[in-house]
Amino acid sequence: MKGKKILYSIWLKAAAFAVCIATAAAAAGAASEAISGMRNGSGYRPGEAFDESNAVVIQLDNGMYSLVSAVTDSDTSAVFDKTDLDSSGLEYYAENLKTGKVITNTGDKNKSSYSSGGPLSDMVSGLYVTAEKKNNEWSIEGNTAVQNRYLGSSLLIYKDAPPVYSGDSDTEYSEEYAAEAASERVPLDDYVVYLRFSQDKASEMLTLWQNAQSVVDDALRAIPAYAVLFILAVVYLSFAAGRRAEDDEIHLIAVDRVFLDISALVMAAALILAFLGVSFSTTAPPDDDIYRRYAILAAAAGSAVIVTCWLSIVKHIKNRTFVQNSFVCRAVRWLWRLFVRLVKWVFIKLPGKIKNAYLSLKALAAAKMSYIVMLVASAVYMWITVLIAWLTGALLYESDSISAFFVVLCLALIAAPVLLIFRTLKGYDGIRDGLKRIRGGETLHKIAKEGSVITDAVAEEINDIGDGLSKAVEQSVRSERMKAELITNVSHDLKTPLTSIINYTDLLMQETLQPEEANDYVKIIGQKSKKLKQLTSDLFDVSKARSGSEELELESIDYKLLVTQSEAELDSEIQKAGLEFVLDLPDGDVRINADGKKLSRVFENLIMNAIKYSLRGTRVYIDLRTHDDICTVEIKNIANYKMNFDDDEITERFVRGDASRTGDGSGLGLAIARSYVELMGGKFYIKTDGDLFKAVIEFRTDTMNG
């Protein structure tokens, strides 16, 4: 705990944050120093030698080109300005071998004194360049970088040399143009040009270069060290972000309420600000320190903002709220879900819709085929008649008005039978639809008359049949209700005398009767009277349930607990029967909306049924399964008798699977179970497979309380 307090302490976090700001500022300052060191006139670049520096190469290159241009200039009246060469500290000798023109500030025309020995003998090599052109051939020696600039160039041989065709397909010059341009080239006069830096200038430049080298190399060595410290501090802050020693939760602060997209934009802006601050130092004068301060300030401020925004992002990643706090992630997630829905709709739902539409059109076409045939036949007949009528009027009477009269007359003659046929077809469709509805149980449905002599009479007869069926159904329902009421009343009336018989039998069983056989007779009367009472009670229950007069108290109940308790309450009976009950229940809560007392009675009947009719020494399985919003319970056992009954009839009243009726069952247990389950909105059915007997109960899960 003490270690966590130190690790997650606010002081350690503040120190790491300060290290981030300090190292970023120090790295920016070092970068500014390095840039200033490379721009202080020495031309130093890390990894280059002194004679490869820009200060050396550019001055030698410019001096060479200026001297060649001046000494080979055909206009002898042109004045050569040697101010730039002299101010650069260059010593030179240039001579036009054709005209004898000489340009020099030393008078020394000895080539060897420029390339070796002389005032540069103790200096770094590469501080000179010599070039000679004789008979259209030229050579150049000295500084390697300067030589590389002129390799392949024709500027030191020809005056205003045009480009040469190289065979590249992208060039804009044709081979013919290149040949013509080459024939028009004007070669320069033969010349010699020698130049070198003076001793003082070379020493001055070398000193500046070495100073810059020291500054730049030190700065470049410091920047990686600052970067490592910055990364280590950021790694620690990322690890400790949002953590406290007292708990394992992620704690957010005010800045963490900003959306992560805005934080990312602020990070990008701060990063650009920091780079701009450093880049400004590249345009500042080498001796101006104010730009370096700007770079340090920009890097410090930028790093503070960047680290703060980064830690906010890290906290949301740890807290698993990254997506919720990002507009972009939300949009991506929404687009992904939309894409998944679209794919499912295209590849799963759309084919089904197309198939359904096709089947609907096919069924519609089949149902309305008579209409379609009649419509097509009428249209064809109408057009033929109209055409004949028009031709008759036009050819025989040569009059459009008579043709129009014949057309109207033909249409009138056609309209009457077509209208009659369509009314007949409509009446036929009404009859067919009405028969379907009556067959489906709507016996009071009346078929409308469509004004057709043919179909209206049939519709009237069918309506009369529907009235007869309705009366028959009503009478049957009334009869069934009266039977149920009769059974209920008789069962209720039998309870009182049966109770008296049982009570008196119990009193007689407490006495010693003579002769001895009378005691056995009393026991048998007691057993049979109790069985009759149970039968009467079962009959009363099933009659109430079937008649719909049973009152239910529906509530959300724990289905697993009810199944477990029902099995546990009959454990002693299970042990006596020599059976093993195996329960397979799912994990988690399973709740249904039902009457707990009635459903307990259902499971009591089913378990007792399994106990009575299971083969001894076998297992009885009770499986509870949930799929989608349907909860299914299966009670499976191996029967101890041959099952030759129908699965649908076994749940009717007084129907028993044991046809020999050797058991003590009444044949009402499954009927009561089915009646109660259906009354509570469930589904109950029996399945058999050889000697396997399976009772199945299905309910919808209570999703409101589950």
Side-chain angles (χ1 to χ4, degrees):
M1 187 67 179
K2 185 176 180 180
K4 290 181 68 176
K5 285 185 177 181
I6 297 174
L7 184 63
Y8 298 144
S9 67
I10 188 67
W11 302 108
L12 188 58
K13 293 178 182 178
F17 192 79
V19 168
C20 291
I21 297 175
T23 52
S32 298
E33 288 182 1
I35 294 171
S36 178
M38 289 186 284
R39 296 183 62 253
N40 64 2
S42 68
Y44 171 73
R45 295 290 184 273
E48 290 182 347
F50 172 53
D51 56 349
E52 296 175 340
S53 63
N54 283 346
V56 173
V57 174
I58 291 175
Q59 293 183 41
L60 288 176
D61 180 57
N62 291 340
M64 169 63 67
Y65 186 77
S66 298
L67 288 171
V68 171
S69 298
V71 80
T72 60
D73 188 5
S74 58
D75 187 0
T76 56
S77 63
V79 179
F80 173 62
D81 185 4
K82 60 179 183 176
T83 304
D84 291 340
L85 293 176
D86 293 340
S87 63
S88 299
L90 290 172
E91 297 176 348
Y92 52 86
Y93 175 86
E95 179 183 359
N96 189 320
L97 300 180
K98 180 179 180 181
T99 63
K101 182 178 179 180
V102 174
I103 301 173
T104 181
N105 62 356
T106 63
D108 185 0
K109 62 178 182 179
N110 185 6
K111 177 182 178 181
S112 61
S113 64
Y114 288 87
S115 59
S116 62
L120 298 178
S121 59
D122 57 344
M123 294 294 294
V124 179
S125 62
L127 300 184
Y128 74 95
V129 176
T130 63
E132 297 179 348
K133 176 181 178 296
K134 296 176 181 179
N135 300 323
N136 285 337
E137 293 183 1
W138 69 285
S139 62
I140 185 168
E141 299 176 0
N143 189 284
T144 304
V146 177
Q147 291 185 56
N148 291 336
R149 291 195 177 201
Y150 288 104
L151 290 178
S153 172
S154 57
L155 294 177
L156 298 182
I157 303 177
Y158 299 100
K159 182 179 181 181
D160 299 329
V164 179
Y165 178 74
S166 62
D168 188 357
S169 60
D170 295 332
T171 182
E172 59 180 330
Y173 301 106
S174 65
E175 191 171 0
E176 292 77 8
Y177 170 77
E180 181 182 353
S183 65
E184 296 177 355
R185 286 178 177 174
V186 179
L188 296 174
D189 294 340
D190 291 346
Y191 62 85
V192 294
V193 174
Y194 311 135
L195 74 159
R196 66 189 176 194
F197 283 101
S198 65
Q199 181 75 26
D200 294 337
K201 185 64 177 179
S203 299
E204 178 187 348
M205 292 175 64
L206 180 60
T207 301
L208 290 174
W209 184 85
Q210 290 174 341
N211 292 336
Q213 181 185 34
S214 176
V215 171
V216 174
D217 289 348
D218 290 344
L220 294 180
R221 281 192 294 269
I223 290 175
Y226 294 141
V228 170
L229 289 176
F230 180 85
I231 292 172
L232 290 176
V234 170
V235 169
Y236 161 71
L237 288 174
S238 301
F239 172 75
R243 299 286 188 185
R244 294 180 184 175
E246 57 268 19
D247 55 42
D248 294 330
E249 296 182 1
I250 302 299
H251 299 272
L252 305 178
I253 58 177
V255 71
D256 300 324
R257 296 189 180 97
V258 178
F259 276 97
L260 299 182
D261 311 87
I262 299 176
S263 297
L265 291 175
V266 172
M267 283 179 65
L271 187 63
I272 293 172
L273 174 66
F275 275 113
L276 286 177
V278 176
S279 64
F280 282 157
S281 62
T282 62
T283 60
D287 56 348
D288 193 346
D289 195 49
I290 189 66
Y291 286 90
R292 188 177 306 158
R293 296 176 186 174
Y294 286 156
I296 293 173
L297 180 61
S303 63
V305 174
I306 291 171
V307 172
T308 301
C309 294
W310 167 251
L311 294 181
S312 178
I313 294 174
V314 170
K315 289 177 190 177
H316 282 293
I317 293 175
K318 290 181 179 180
N319 201 38
R320 300 183 184 225
T321 54
F322 184 86
V323 175
Q324 294 89 324
N325 285 271
S326 172
F327 286 121
V328 175
C329 291
R330 285 183 179 182
V332 170
R333 183 175 63 180
W334 182 81
L335 289 174
W336 172 253
R337 289 177 177 175
L338 181 64
F339 173 75
V340 171
R341 288 180 183 177
L342 182 62
V343 170
K344 287 183 177 179
W345 188 85
V346 170
F347 292 100
I348 298 177
K349 293 186 178 180
L350 183 59
K353 290 182 178 294
I354 294 174
K355 183 179 179 181
N356 292 336
Y358 169 75
L359 293 176
S360 299
L361 290 175
K362 185 177 179 181
L364 180 63
K368 304 295 183 181
M369 184 58 66
S370 55
Y371 283 98
I372 297 172
V373 172
M374 184 61 196
L375 184 62
V376 173
S378 299
V380 172
Y381 179 64
M382 185 181 297
W383 280 108
I384 293 174
T385 306
V386 168
L387 182 61
I388 293 173
W390 181 81
L391 290 175
T392 301
L395 295 177
L396 295 181
Y397 298 97
E398 298 181 355
S399 172
D400 291 337
S401 59
I402 295 178
S403 296
F405 171 75
F406 275 116
V407 169
V408 173
L409 180 62
C410 289
L411 290 176
L413 293 175
I414 292 172
V418 169
L419 181 61
L420 178 61
I421 292 173
F422 270 95
R423 283 185 177 275
T424 302
L425 291 175
K426 188 175 181 180
Y428 167 73
D429 286 344
I431 292 172
R432 184 172 59 183
D433 180 66
L435 287 173
K436 287 182 179 179
R437 297 180 67 174
I438 293 173
R439 184 179 60 188
E442 299 180 40
T443 55
L444 295 178
H445 174 71
K446 300 297 181 182
I447 301 173
K449 298 179 181 180
E450 299 297 340
S452 173
V453 179
I454 300 174
T455 59
D456 286 353
V458 178
E460 183 68 27
E461 295 296 332
I462 294 175
N463 289 337
D464 292 341
I465 293 174
D467 292 338
L469 287 175
S470 178
K471 292 178 181 178
V473 170
E474 184 179 353
Q475 187 175 6
S476 176
V477 170
R478 187 184 302 112
S479 176
E480 186 68 23
R481 187 181 298 114
M482 291 177 63
K483 289 180 182 178
E485 290 177 357
L486 176 63
I487 293 173
T488 302
N489 293 332
V490 171
S491 300
H492 186 270
D493 292 340
L494 287 175
K495 282 185 177 181
T496 302
L498 275 174
T499 302
S500 299
I501 293 173
I502 292 171
N503 291 336
Y504 283 119
T505 303
D506 290 340
L507 292 174
L508 288 174
M509 290 175 64
Q510 296 175 8
E511 302 292 334
T512 303
L513 303 178
Q514 295 294 333
E516 187 67 26
E517 293 82 1
N519 295 303
D520 296 332
Y521 300 155
V522 170
K523 289 181 181 179
I524 294 173
I525 293 173
Q527 293 173 358
K528 298 300 182 182
S529 60
K530 289 180 180 179
K531 182 178 179 181
L532 182 59
K533 182 180 181 180
Q534 182 63 43
L535 176 62
T536 304
S537 177
D538 290 346
L539 186 59
F540 180 76
D541 291 339
V542 73
S543 297
K544 283 185 66 178
R546 291 289 175 89
S547 64
S549 60
E550 185 74 45
E551 295 183 359
L552 299 177
E553 296 180 4
L554 299 179
E555 58 182 346
S556 179
I557 62 174
D558 188 338
Y559 206 8
K560 287 171 54 179
L561 180 61
L562 187 141
V563 172
T564 305
Q565 286 180 346
S566 299
E567 187 269 343
E569 289 174 357
L570 297 172
D571 185 63
S572 59
E573 299 292 334
I574 295 171
Q575 299 296 329
K576 291 178 183 178
L579 300 174
E580 179 185 355
F581 273 63
V582 180
L583 274 65
D584 186 4
L585 308 178
D587 297 330
D589 239 3
V590 180
R591 306 192 72 84
I592 62 171
N593 197 35
D595 187 324
K597 294 180 180 178
K598 299 292 188 297
L599 196 56
S600 296
R601 175 74 181 278
V602 170
F603 279 103
E604 179 185 352
N605 285 359
L606 294 177
I607 293 174
M608 286 302 300
N609 188 75
I611 292 173
K612 291 177 182 178
Y613 299 110
S614 291
L615 186 66
R616 294 297 177 262
T618 59
R619 295 184 182 90
V620 178
Y621 294 89
I622 302 179
D623 298 336
L624 175 58
R625 296 283 182 270
T626 58
H627 180 68
D628 293 336
D629 59 343
I630 300 298
C631 178
T632 304
V633 173
E634 294 183 353
I635 302 178
K636 298 177 286 188
N637 66 282
I638 301 299
N640 58 6
Y641 61 93
K642 184 178 180 180
M643 294 186 294
N644 54 2
F645 53 82
D646 185 85
D647 293 349
D648 295 328
E649 294 179 356
I650 191 63
T651 55
E652 296 296 328
R653 289 173 294 184
F654 302 111
V655 177
R656 297 175 56 184
D658 183 7
S660 63
R661 307 183 70 89
T662 58
D664 57 353
S666 63
L668 292 174
L670 295 180
I672 294 173
R674 176 184 174 183
S675 299
Y676 280 167
V677 170
E678 291 178 350
L679 197 61
M680 289 182 284
K683 186 178 180 182
F684 179 86
Y685 55 91
I686 300 297
K687 284 186 176 181
T688 58
D689 186 3
D691 291 335
L692 178 64
F693 181 90
K694 180 163 62 175
V696 183
I697 303 174
E698 292 183 359
F699 277 103
R700 285 191 174 275
T701 55
D702 185 8
T703 55
M704 297 296 292
N705 297 282

